[in-house]
Amino acid sequence: MDNQAISRKRVEWGFMIALLVIVSLAFAVLVEPFFGAVVWGVVVAVLFRPVYERLLGYLPGRTNLVAGITLVLILLLVVVPAILLGMALAQEAASLYVRIQDGEIDFGAAFEAFENSLPNWMQAQLAAYGYNDFASIRAEIEQSISAILEFMVSQLLNVGQGAFQFLLGLGVMLYLTFFLLRDGRALAERIEQMIPLGEERRGILMDKFLVVIRATIKGSLIIAIIQGSLGGLAFWLLDIRGALLWAVLMGVFSLIPAIGTGFIWAPVALFLLVTGDVWQGVVLILCGVFIISMVDNLVRPVLVGRDTRMPDYVVLISTLGGLQLFGINGIVIGPLVAALFIAIWGIFSDMHMESKMVAKAGD
């Protein structure tokens, strides 16, 4: 090949790469309003793929019908319960917020009771560290609690007011899920072929992608549901108002490593103790320590094993970063990006070592 042909080939490749980048960025901007719908469409398709394949074994060749049946199961098992839970949660949060605003729930009185229950030596110790201004601390805590609840109520109201956008996103998710179930294997093979790596390394990347999604959802979300349900049941049996709201909050916080459900039940137990409901507080602490918190240690190894093989601190940082950048979608996106980061650096390291060995052998 002469120099002119090589130069023309380089220009063609440069033009195609530039065009590819421009079109990809334009497409990303185009689908950005439905980013969450696309993410959860992929997640749901990956999770329900085994169900689709099992049904396809009973109805061979009927891919459209089987994908439609799987979609109905997704609606009945996931979408409808989630919508009903969201509606009940909105009512619960609004009711709790109103009771706080009306003074029926008085955090100030609870804090004052806690302050009075402290022994003199502890009050003196706190004063030595500059924490003797209990009135300002109480005001800050009350303001923070009210701000959190007000934010939650406003977010729930925004969801209700944006019902059309929500339904549109839900429709996009389900529509995408249908086609990913039906054509997902062929699409995955096509994507894998476009990755300019050896077959073994392409397989590692694709496997890591699927493993992290399954491990994150199957492990974290199922454990969150179990812990939230157990916590809500404990709150309901102890006749603590807003049991459903507390259950959902415990489920959410259980998704964040190193924080967990104790971020919710421990302050509530302390509130019960300082307001005179001693036995309820003690029972809640026992339930939190020996039942709710133990679920993670007992159930996670069964559901997940060591699928992700990521250190806890990486999971924590990636989950918090994902939540900060992408909202609820970050629960999946954060650990997924972290796992792919580790996998790609591992592949790069292996390639570098191989090139060094080849170079040494050449010498």
Side-chain angles (χ1 to χ4, degrees):
M1 185 179 294
D2 57 20
N3 291 335
Q4 186 176 359
I6 294 175
S7 178
R8 185 169 62 251
K9 202 70 175 177
R10 288 177 177 173
V11 170
E12 289 178 356
W13 270 106
F15 174 77
M16 283 304 301
I17 291 174
L19 188 62
L20 180 65
V21 171
I22 293 171
V23 172
S24 298
L25 290 174
F27 182 75
V29 173
L30 190 66
V31 301
E32 191 274 333
F34 300 101
F35 178 74
V38 172
V39 169
W40 287 104
V42 173
V43 168
V44 172
V46 170
L47 290 178
F48 279 83
R49 182 77 195 181
V51 177
Y52 169 82
E53 292 181 347
R54 177 67 65 87
L55 292 174
L56 195 61
Y58 295 114
L59 299 169
R62 307 291 296 275
T63 54
N64 285 325
L65 177 61
V66 172
I69 294 173
T70 309
L71 207 61
V72 171
L73 290 176
I74 293 170
L75 279 168
L76 295 177
L77 297 176
V78 179
V79 177
V80 172
I83 292 175
L84 294 177
L85 176 64
M87 294 170 61
L89 182 62
Q91 294 178 351
E92 190 97 2
S95 174
L96 184 63
Y97 180 70
V98 170
R99 290 170 58 212
I100 292 175
Q101 292 295 99
D102 292 342
E104 186 178 345
I105 298 177
D106 190 354
F107 288 106
F111 191 87
E112 186 176 351
F114 171 72
E115 177 187 339
N116 294 330
S117 67
L118 294 176
N120 292 331
W121 66 267
M122 186 175 291
Q123 294 188 29
Q125 192 69 31
L126 290 173
Y129 286 103
Y131 295 110
N132 57 334
D133 188 5
F134 288 105
S136 62
I137 298 174
R138 181 170 66 240
E140 289 180 9
I141 293 177
E142 291 175 8
Q143 185 178 359
S144 299
I145 293 173
S146 297
I148 291 171
L149 286 170
E150 187 175 353
F151 172 76
M152 290 180 59
V153 172
S154 66
Q155 291 299 308
L156 291 169
L157 290 176
N158 287 338
V159 171
Q161 293 169 356
F164 175 75
Q165 186 67 26
F166 169 77
L167 292 175
L168 186 61
L170 178 62
V172 170
M173 187 204 81
L174 294 173
Y175 187 74
L176 179 62
T177 301
F178 175 87
F179 287 101
L180 288 176
L181 286 170
R182 192 191 68 177
D183 308 322
R185 188 172 297 278
L187 181 61
E189 291 175 356
R190 182 65 183 272
I191 293 174
E192 187 174 346
Q193 290 172 359
M194 289 189 294
I195 299 175
L197 291 172
E199 183 177 351
E200 182 180 354
R201 294 188 176 112
R202 290 202 308 263
I204 291 174
L205 276 181
M206 297 300 291
D207 289 344
K208 180 65 70 173
F209 177 79
L210 297 176
V211 161
V212 171
I213 288 181
R214 291 195 181 107
T216 301
I217 303 301
K218 183 179 68 176
S220 300
L221 289 190
I222 291 178
I223 290 171
I225 291 172
I226 295 173
Q227 288 188 310
S229 300
L230 290 174
L233 179 63
F235 276 53
W236 179 72
L237 291 174
L238 293 172
D239 196 26
I240 299 173
R241 298 287 186 88
L244 178 62
L245 176 62
W246 299 122
V248 172
L249 288 176
M250 279 187 279
V252 171
F253 278 100
S254 73
L255 297 171
I256 305 175
I259 296 179
T261 56
F263 192 80
I264 300 299
W265 61 257
V268 174
L270 181 62
F271 177 84
L272 292 172
L273 291 174
V274 301
T275 53
D277 297 320
V278 177
W279 75 267
Q280 290 98 327
V282 171
V283 170
L284 184 56
I285 291 173
L286 293 175
C287 288
V289 173
F290 295 107
I291 298 178
I292 301 173
S293 297
M294 289 300 294
V295 167
D296 189 73
N297 298 327
L298 297 176
V299 178
R300 189 179 295 276
V302 177
L303 292 177
V304 181
R306 298 185 60 82
D307 278 350
T308 56
R309 293 184 177 88
M310 285 196 297
D312 287 342
Y313 60 86
V314 175
V315 178
L316 172 63
I317 295 172
S318 61
T319 302
L320 292 176
L323 288 170
Q324 180 73 22
L325 291 174
F326 304 105
I328 191 66
N329 304 315
I331 292 173
V332 174
I333 298 174
L336 176 60
V337 171
L340 292 178
F341 171 82
I342 293 173
I344 291 171
W345 271 98
I347 292 173
F348 175 78
S349 176
D350 292 342
M351 293 174 66
H352 180 63
M353 292 299 296
E354 287 179 9
S355 64
K356 287 179 66 176
M357 292 175 63
V358 170
K360 184 180 290 186
D363 295 338

